[in-house]
Amino acid sequence: MLGKEFCGLHVAIRLLCPWNSPASAAAKSLQSCLTQCDPIDSSPPDSADFFIQDINAGLKDETEIPDQLVPISSLSEEQLENLIKKLRKASEGLNCTLKDQIMSHPALHDALNDPKNGDSAAKHLKQQASILGNIENLKLLGPRRCFVEFGAGKGKLSHWVDIALKDAEKVHFILVEKVTTRFKVDGKHRKKNSVFERLQIDIQHLCLNKIPLLSKEKLPVVGIGKHLCGVATDLALRCLVETYAASCEERNEEPLAKRIKNDKTEKEINTLAKEGNEKNIPEKWTPVAGIVIALCCHHRCDWRHYVGKEYFRALGLGAVDFHYFQRMSSWATCGMRKTSLEASDISTKRRGKQNDGSEEHDDGGYAITDDSPESLPGFLTVEEKKKIGHLCKLLIDQGRIKYLQQKGFSPALQYYIDPLVSLENVLLTALPNHSSSPETSA
């Protein structure tokens, strides 16, 4: 076409973005798009300092996992009964009734009461408010720290943490998400006292202590997440307490309170005290000040990455048992949602997301699937199957609790939201043992 860069045939051709694949743009506007592309939203090259292949993956033992495992629906009634007996024996002594810790936070008051909210928006706001309330209750909501949101999606949880902190000093946010995300809210923050950095990387390969922001500032890290999907929870825990905390402790860092006195004048410290912020300054510096993660999708856990393998082995359980317990965990919410497991699996693989709470499917229920109650032998009632599903979730989470205890943390499991709001309503929290925050228990 005269005077045009592209002919009519090629004007509609779309090209993959060289910085942000799988994003694409019309060939005629690619150069213009590149000038607007946010470079921090690009996938890090393998040469990036904080990219270390499989650093959080855990040990791989091919001998433990058979090449093929039959679906639960193909097991005989006797095989299934034996699995359930193993589960019940392993779960003896576990507290199956978790504490209700449903909270809120004034930072979300206006948003929660907005008459324009639909059911979905209201549901997510209630969850974010409760998570934020729990963060504050653990005395983790304060100045001079870095919040790392795993499976950040649009970054809404960090957004509300930032709103709640108002003008708190020296607050940083690192938002970790595996894929490109549209309609992010972190780009809207321009406060001088808070810094947002988004990393597009799989948690499996993330080395926190190689991120310039953390290696320079040496701020205590608070790991947070809203419905961190299955295996991503285990990757995040290992990223925090093994990869990051262990490497930082080797440096013998000086206490935070001492550093504050070196960096600030007496006048500034007095100002903080008057504002009431001194209660949020840890007495002893710790690489990981706390962990607050809303759990999700236990059926997407993976034996290799699971942090509770030692706990399972101590109970006489192995990779095969874990595989079936993981699949049976979906019974807890089975039939509560219209979307099928197959559809959600395909969708997740296509998106590659590690956050299962990004407005898509955080209810955790599934329609009839290969492992659903409707497709299994009928010697158990639906209610019994739901109880077994919950028991599977609890046992998997107990392995995480034991792991955190061994790593020097005081962890806890609690219900943070009503099941009518979300069926995936368990919150995992952990504080370092020397923390002066309220006592927690599993």
Side-chain angles (χ1 to χ4, degrees):
M1 295 176 66
L2 187 64
K4 301 291 184 181
E5 185 178 358
F6 297 93
C7 69
L9 177 63
H10 291 90
V11 72
I13 291 178
R14 299 188 69 81
L15 301 176
L16 287 177
C17 173
W19 294 349
N20 227 352
S21 179
S24 65
K28 66 177 182 178
S29 58
L30 179 60
Q31 291 304 317
S32 174
C33 287
L34 291 179
T35 63
Q36 303 173 44
C37 190
D38 187 352
I40 65 173
D41 204 23
S42 309
S43 295
D46 292 357
S47 59
D49 288 342
F50 55 83
F51 182 103
I52 300 181
Q53 185 75 34
D54 294 332
I55 189 170
N56 303 313
L59 298 177
K60 189 174 184 179
D61 188 347
E62 299 288 0
T63 63
E64 287 191 281
I65 305 175
D67 292 335
Q68 288 186 336
L69 289 168
V70 299
I72 292 179
S73 56
S74 298
L75 297 176
S76 68
E77 186 170 313
E78 182 181 0
Q79 288 173 316
L80 194 56
E81 284 180 331
N82 288 335
L83 269 176
I84 294 170
K85 285 179 182 177
K86 271 190 174 184
L87 172 68
R88 286 176 170 153
K89 182 179 180 181
S91 305
E92 287 177 0
L94 288 185
N95 181 10
C96 298
T97 305
L98 304 183
K99 177 183 177 183
D100 282 328
Q101 195 75 3
I102 300 173
M103 309 188 77
S104 190
H105 195 279
L108 286 92
H109 179 269
D110 291 342
L112 284 166
N113 292 283
D114 189 339
K116 297 178 182 178
N117 287 335
D119 290 342
S120 178
K123 175 182 72 172
H124 288 285
L125 286 168
K126 288 176 182 177
Q127 294 171 70
Q128 289 153 357
S130 184
I131 294 172
L132 189 56
N134 276 278
I135 293 173
E136 184 172 56
N137 185 58
L138 295 169
K139 298 183 180 179
L140 295 173
L141 197 63
R144 290 175 300 285
R145 61 199 65 193
C146 178
F147 293 87
V148 180
E149 183 179 356
F150 294 95
K154 298 173 185 177
K156 289 186 177 179
L157 183 55
S158 290
H159 164 80
W160 290 115
V161 171
D162 188 49
I163 295 296
L165 286 170
K166 298 180 180 178
D167 295 320
E169 292 191 352
K170 216 171 185 180
V171 178
H172 296 268
F173 294 88
I174 295 176
L175 282 67
V176 182
E177 179 54 72
K178 188 177 179 180
V179 299
T180 303
T181 306
R182 300 179 66 193
F183 310 119
K184 300 181 290 293
V185 297
D186 39 294
K188 300 177 182 179
H189 292 264
R190 294 290 183 268
K191 295 196 307 188
K192 64 179 182 179
N193 292 327
S194 59
V195 177
F196 278 76
E197 181 175 0
R198 179 175 282 267
L199 303 179
Q200 188 182 323
I201 184 173
D202 192 316
I203 303 168
Q204 183 169 329
H205 314 303
L206 175 61
C207 183
L208 284 178
N209 62 310
K210 296 291 186 181
I211 297 174
L213 178 67
L214 288 176
S215 61
K216 291 178 183 177
E217 298 291 345
K218 295 182 176 62
L219 296 172
V221 164
V222 179
I224 61 175
K226 177 179 175 288
H227 288 164
L228 196 55
C229 185
V231 64
T233 293
D234 296 299
L235 296 174
L237 293 178
R238 193 174 281 111
C239 177
L240 288 166
V241 306
E242 285 189 48
T243 307
Y244 184 64
S247 64
C248 289
E249 286 169 357
E250 291 174 0
R251 302 174 191 170
N252 296 318
E253 299 287 357
E254 64 178 337
L256 177 63
K258 183 178 179 182
R259 272 215 327 277
I260 292 172
K261 290 181 180 179
N262 290 338
D263 295 342
K264 292 185 170 295
T265 65
E266 192 68 28
K267 180 180 179 181
E268 289 175 304
I269 295 173
N270 290 337
T271 301
L272 288 175
K274 289 177 182 177
E275 293 172 352
N277 286 327
E278 80 287 346
K279 67 181 180 181
N280 287 319
I281 300 174
E283 293 179 1
K284 180 180 179 182
W285 183 79
T286 178
V288 178
I291 299 169
V292 181
I293 294 175
L295 304 173
C296 187
C297 295
H298 293 69
H299 68 281
R300 290 199 182 112
C301 291
D302 182 272
W303 177 252
R304 177 191 174 183
H305 305 309
Y306 180 52
V307 296
K309 284 188 283 191
E310 187 176 327
Y311 172 70
F312 260 61
R313 289 174 182 140
L315 293 171
L317 303 173
V320 175
D321 302 304
F322 179 83
H323 169 80
Y324 286 119
F325 293 166
Q326 156 206 346
R327 299 305 301 171
M328 289 158 62
S329 71
S330 65
W331 296 0
T333 53
C334 211
M336 300 294 183
R337 190 165 57 87
K338 295 180 181 179
T339 307
S340 71
L341 177 61
E342 285 86 351
S344 65
D345 276 340
I346 292 170
S347 176
T348 299
K349 288 176 183 176
R350 183 167 57 244
R351 294 191 314 270
K353 297 197 75 167
Q354 292 179 320
N355 182 346
D356 208 25
S358 53
E359 285 74 56
E360 284 97 357
H361 56 291
D362 68 341
D363 285 340
Y366 306 104
I368 296 176
T369 69
D370 179 69
D371 296 337
S372 71
E374 289 82 354
S375 65
L376 295 171
F379 67 92
L380 292 171
T381 66
V382 171
E383 283 305 312
E384 286 173 328
K385 289 169 183 173
K386 287 181 182 178
K387 289 179 181 178
I388 290 170
H390 282 294
L391 208 54
C392 289
K393 284 176 174 280
L394 184 63
L395 190 66
I396 291 171
D397 289 337
Q398 188 65 22
R400 291 164 169 166
I401 290 290
K402 294 297 183 183
Y403 168 81
L404 288 167
Q405 288 174 341
Q406 290 174 357
K407 297 297 180 181
F409 286 81
S410 297
L413 295 169
Q414 54 261 316
Y415 294 122
Y416 80 100
I417 202 73
D418 191 290
L420 294 176
V421 176
S422 176
L423 294 169
E424 296 282 15
N425 63 338
V426 175
L427 190 71
L428 171 65
T429 64
L431 296 169
N433 283 333
H434 58 71
S435 172
S436 59
S437 297
E439 182 180 352
T440 57
S441 62

